[in-house]
Amino acid sequence: MENVAAVTFSERMIFRGKQTRDERSNTAETILHEMAHMWFGDLVTMRWWNGLWLNESFATFMATKAVDEATKFKGSWQDFYAGIKEWAYWEDQLVTTHPIEGPVFDTDQAATQFDGITYGKGASSLKQLNYLLGDEDFREGLQRYFQKFALRNTTVGDFVKMLSEASTKDLAKWQKSWLQTSGVNTVRADWACTDDGKLSKLGLIQTMPEVGTQELRAHRAEVALFKMKNGKLQPVRTIQVQYAGPLTMFDDAPGAVCPDFVYPNYKDYDFAKVELDPISLATAQKSLSKFEEPFVRQMVWHNLW
């Protein structure tokens, strides 16, 4: 519990025997999660329980980022994907899904907000927002937020406004689309090659959630083109893209070498369900163990499941 300047931990965090690497990594994540709450939750906190997600999502996002960048436990984003993000994907496809930020009518209902949407999808949305704005503007927005609202209560609108000012981007539509709707979009690569082995087109097809709000969100992601080299599937080109609507084509992609596999969410910046295109699906079925990067291999396993 993130009491101001005196975080308390349960006895489950104290080990009598030798700890595994995962146990030590989880301890580091928990410590950094509660430390992040010194800012999001203690220095500034929500006005009402509908803003609970921001406290928990920020602490979850920031702890994962800090573990990866400031400790010896590298690969925390893969752990994030395998755990809390898969929890979010699962809950966001149930009929009981709900927006990240929604109405909370009383304190009894507030207890229901501690779920995979609040923690996992919220943190994933902040990771997406960080990638959309870039580290510099995202950090500047946070600094403005803490300086202006220190020792006060806020709404999510206050938070988004500070990020908008820092980045000079209007995030009102992003706020409504990502935070006030439910369900997960599906994305699939649409690509083809010429007879001489060059990529002739590349685009992304987006479909609406099967449950939840019928919404096609705007995304920023990284698309990777993979080729089999020396018995390993390796990315030979990555393309930073923004897509929205049912189909987005990318003019700068044609001319690249024809890939064996195309992945629409390389490095997992996006929150979307990936559906593999027919050629990529055939490659995955035949050569899943040949992906050189463990994180990519894990995401493809999950997409197939």
Side-chain angles (χ1 to χ4, degrees), residues 191-209:
W191 58 281
C193 293
T194 61
D195 293 337
D196 60 351
K198 298 294 183 182
L199 192 69
S200 59
K201 72 169 185 175
L202 176 64
L204 292 179
I205 297 171
Q206 180 183 199
T207 56
M208 293 184 182

Side-chain angles (χ1 to χ4, degrees), residues 27 43 53 61 106 108 122 145 203 242 247 259 264 267 283 300 304:
T27 299
L43 179 65
W53 75 271
F61 164 75
D106 53 41
D108 288 336
Y145 177 75
Q242 296 194 54
L247 174 63
K267 295 186 179 178
T283 299
V300 175
L304 293 174

Side-chain angles (χ1 to χ4, degrees), residues 8 21 57 59 67 71-72 79 93 99 109 113 122 138 190 197-198 204 212 227 237-238 244 289 298:
T8 57
R21 182 193 178 282
S57 297
V67 168
T71 77
K72 65 183 179 181
D79 295 336
Q93 295 178 77
Q109 188 183 354
Q113 298 298 303
F138 189 75
D190 179 30
K198 298 294 183 182
L204 292 179
K227 285 291 287 184
R237 182 174 177 184
T238 59
S289 64
Q298 178 176 334

Side-chain angles (χ1 to χ4, degrees), residues 174 243 280:
W174 183 93
Y243 68 96
S280 297

Side-chain angles (χ1 to χ4, degrees), residues 1 13 23 50 68-69 78 86 100 112 152 155 173 183 187 222-223 269 275:
M1 181 62 201
M13 305 298 294
E23 287 172 334
N50 63 316
D68 188 60
E69 297 182 12
Q78 185 176 347
E86 287 197 6
I100 294 172
T112 67
R152 293 168 61 187
T155 66
K173 188 174 181 180
V187 61
E222 198 163 315
V223 178
Y269 294 116
E275 178 184 336

Side-chain angles (χ1 to χ4, degrees), residues 25-149:
S25 176
N26 289 339
T27 299
E29 192 278 334
T30 302
I31 292 171
L32 289 164
H33 181 106
E34 305 307 329
M35 288 293 291
H37 274 312
M38 296 298 107
W39 286 266
F40 259 103
D42 290 343
L43 179 65
V44 181
T45 197
M46 72 282 186
R47 186 170 297 164
W48 181 242
W49 292 99
N50 63 316
L52 170 73
W53 75 271
L54 188 54
N55 288 358
E56 296 303 342
S57 297
F58 180 83
T60 302
F61 164 75
M62 208 65 213
T64 306
K65 188 176 179 68
V67 168
D68 188 60
E69 297 182 12
T71 77
K72 65 183 179 181
F73 303 108
K74 306 305 176 186
S76 59
W77 287 116
Q78 185 176 347
D79 295 336
F80 173 87
Y81 179 89
I84 202 164
K85 193 166 187 177
E86 287 197 6
W87 181 29
Y89 279 136
W90 174 64
E91 289 207 350
D92 210 19
Q93 295 178 77
L94 302 177
V95 294
T96 51
T97 188
H98 59 85
I100 294 172
E101 186 198 26
V104 178
F105 299 105
D106 53 41
T107 52
D108 288 336
Q109 188 183 354
T112 67
Q113 298 298 303
F114 293 86
D115 62 4
I117 304 299
T118 293
Y119 283 82
K121 186 178 182 182
S124 300
S125 298
L126 289 179
K127 184 179 181 180
Q128 165 70 187
L129 183 59
N130 185 180
Y131 188 61
L132 175 67
L133 301 181
D135 283 341
E136 187 174 332
D137 285 346
F138 189 75
R139 187 183 301 113
E140 172 67 22
L142 294 180
Q143 290 172 347
R144 293 187 186 194
Y145 177 75
F146 294 130
Q147 288 164 2
K148 182 170 183 176
F149 297 106

